[in-house]
Amino acid sequence: MAVSKTHPPDRIMELYKEGQRDFGENKVQELTSKYEVLPKDIRWHLIGHLQRNKVKYIAPFVHLIHSVDSLELLQEIDKQAAKCGRVIDVLLQFHIAAETTKFGLDLPEAEALLAHNLPNVRIRGVMGMATFTDDMDQVRREFDTLMGIFTHLKSRWFRESAWFDIRSMGMSGDWPVAVAAGSNMVRIGSLLFGERNYPVE
Ligand SMILES: *Cc1c(COP(=O)(O)O)cnc(C)c1O
């Protein structure tokens, strides 16, 4: 998936013309304004922290929300999806990094959330961001942790559900480590678009 945050629609169109259809943004405002001007067969991913009061703006069209980090947020997505007559695909974001600033659930929080029956959301898998470090052994351990969580949840909650299958992990700086650890969805920004002029949040 191509992370197009901060980059204008004409840059997105360059990749679109090469066949790329999955694009990710971390801000609701930026996502909706790009959605409005770009081709409607683009699959839009929301990868950044999502506030409950903004879910309604993306509910009609979003393809996959990677950043579910609370029951309250999941309930709001369910409610807005129902209003649109949709079932919205989501990932549970886990806190796997050493940094305290990164959002995400831990395993007990996730299992508490999974006990709720929300018919208009479909939990497709997990997402995580590793620590921003050159120490690839540490990064590898963090991705292994996320894979362990995925495997546990799959066997405990989704044994019969073929759709619980996405491991969203890996960015420009650590994607080979993520793929080796079992990622099947990498989120690549700067390798495709060049450096952004503000740091990753
Ligand atoms: C910005 C961002 C990315 C992409 O980062 P790059 O290092 O530019 O590839 C991936 N995931 C999330 C959640 C991001 O915010």
Side-chain angles (χ1 to χ4, degrees), residues 5 40 76 79 91 101 127 149 171 174 181 187:
K5 63 189 186 197
K40 290 297 174 278
E76 178 64 15
K79 180 177 148 193
L91 304 178
T101 52
M127 183 271 228
I149 290 169
M171 315 185 358
D174 57 19
R187 308 179 307 271

Side-chain angles (χ1 to χ4, degrees), residues 144-158:
D144 285 346
T145 299
L146 188 60
M147 278 304 294
I149 290 169
F150 173 83
T151 306
H152 171 82
L153 294 179
K154 176 102 187 154
S155 67
R156 173 116 204 272
W157 298 86
F158 299 99

Side-chain angles (χ1 to χ4, degrees), residues 69 73 162 195:
D69 59 1
L73 175 60
E195 293 300 323

Side-chain angles (χ1 to χ4, degrees), residues 30 47 64 71 78 106 121 136 145 150:
E30 200 173 334
I47 60 173
L64 179 64
L71 174 61
D78 182 63
D106 60 25
V121 292
M136 285 301 143
T145 299
F150 173 83

Side-chain angles (χ1 to χ4, degrees), residues 1-7 24-26 46-49 66-67 93 102 127-129 132 168 170-175 186-196 198-201:
M1 190 258 291
V3 177
S4 48
K5 63 189 186 197
T6 79
H7 299 292
E25 294 282 337
N26 66 340
L46 195 282
I47 60 173
H49 183 63
H66 292 231
S67 46
Q93 181 174 357
K102 287 185 177 151
M127 183 271 228
M129 289 171 87
F132 189 67
S168 167
M171 315 185 358
S172 294
D174 57 19
W175 71 266
V186 291
R187 308 179 307 271
I188 306 296
S190 37
L191 273 184
L192 290 168
F193 287 99
E195 293 300 323
R196 292 176 298 275
Y198 67 76
V200 176
E201 285 170 309

Side-chain angles (χ1 to χ4, degrees), residues 122-177:
R122 187 167 64 161
I123 298 171
R124 294 291 314 270
V126 301
M127 183 271 228
M129 289 171 87
T131 305
F132 189 67
T133 173
D134 292 333
D135 180 354
M136 285 301 143
D137 290 333
Q138 180 180 350
V139 169
R140 175 65 196 241
R141 282 195 298 276
E142 292 172 357
F143 287 145
D144 285 346
T145 299
L146 188 60
M147 278 304 294
I149 290 169
F150 173 83
T151 306
H152 171 82
L153 294 179
K154 176 102 187 154
S155 67
R156 173 116 204 272
W157 298 86
F158 299 99
R159 199 182 280 281
E160 315 282 294
S161 315
W163 65 80
F164 186 82
D165 61 354
I166 299 177
R167 285 90 65 182
S168 167
M169 54 186 198
M171 315 185 358
S172 294
D174 57 19
W175 71 266
V177 182

